[in-house]
Amino acid sequence: MNLVTILLPLLAQASADTDAVASAGNASRCAEPTTQQAMNYCAAQEWEQADAALNRQWRATAAEMRRMDSAGVPDDGRPGYFSELLRGQRAWLVYRDHHCASVGNNARGGSMQPLLVANCKTRLTRARTAQLRELVDWPN
């Protein structure tokens, strides 16, 4: 047995332990962030969570729209369910990114700019997630 074989598992465990401690520390500092850096970090974490939820809902909604397409789209010359959903989502992503960049410009070049952008993206992303959910739940 060589030294690399012995050290690799130990280093991997140490890295995992460090990541766990860092995550716990970051979660506690997000309870009441006191510095701009912490606020920016926490807003980015919240945005990532909202984006992950949006991606899960996107997959479910896209699958339902594809199912509806496969059930038979009327031959009325209009696009199918999924293609309209995809066009709308692509347009929404462009809107979200540009709108939130504009919101961030209220603190252009300042340390608060990332916070404004992340909060904007979180808010719009949560709203879009609800809209995608409504497409699947309709008419309920």
Side-chain angles (χ1 to χ4, degrees):
M1 189 174 258
N2 66 27
L3 187 59
V4 172
T5 307
I6 295 169
L7 288 179
L8 278 178
L10 294 173
L11 291 172
Q13 183 59 46
S15 175
D17 291 346
T18 301
D19 290 345
V21 169
S23 293
N26 290 333
S28 67
R29 82 174 171 167
C30 286
E32 291 187 37
T34 57
T35 66
Q36 188 63 57
Q37 183 180 12
M39 288 181 227
N40 292 349
Y41 171 83
C42 296
Q45 293 299 109
E46 194 172 351
W47 145 242
E48 286 180 19
Q49 292 169 1
D51 190 51
L54 173 76
N55 287 324
R56 286 189 299 274
Q57 186 60 53
W58 166 260
R59 287 189 293 276
T61 302
E64 178 61 14
M65 296 300 115
R66 286 183 178 117
R67 186 199 63 74
M68 291 170 67
D69 281 338
S70 69
V73 176
D75 188 16
D76 58 6
R78 296 184 306 182
Y81 296 99
F82 177 74
S83 65
E84 287 286 54
L85 175 70
L86 184 59
R87 287 178 63 206
Q89 186 67 8
R90 286 176 174 161
W92 177 82
L93 288 167
V94 170
Y95 162 76
R96 180 203 62 198
D97 291 347
H98 288 283
H99 175 74
C100 292
S102 294
V103 168
N105 281 338
N106 288 324
R108 189 179 194 124
S111 62
M112 194 170 132
Q113 186 174 5
L115 175 71
L116 295 178
V117 172
N119 285 343
C120 176
K121 284 185 173 184
T122 298
R123 186 176 60 258
L124 293 180
T125 298
R126 286 179 177 158
R128 181 62 179 160
T129 302
Q131 292 168 351
L132 292 174
R133 190 175 307 110
E134 288 172 6
L135 285 173
V136 174
D137 291 344
W138 188 86
N140 298 325

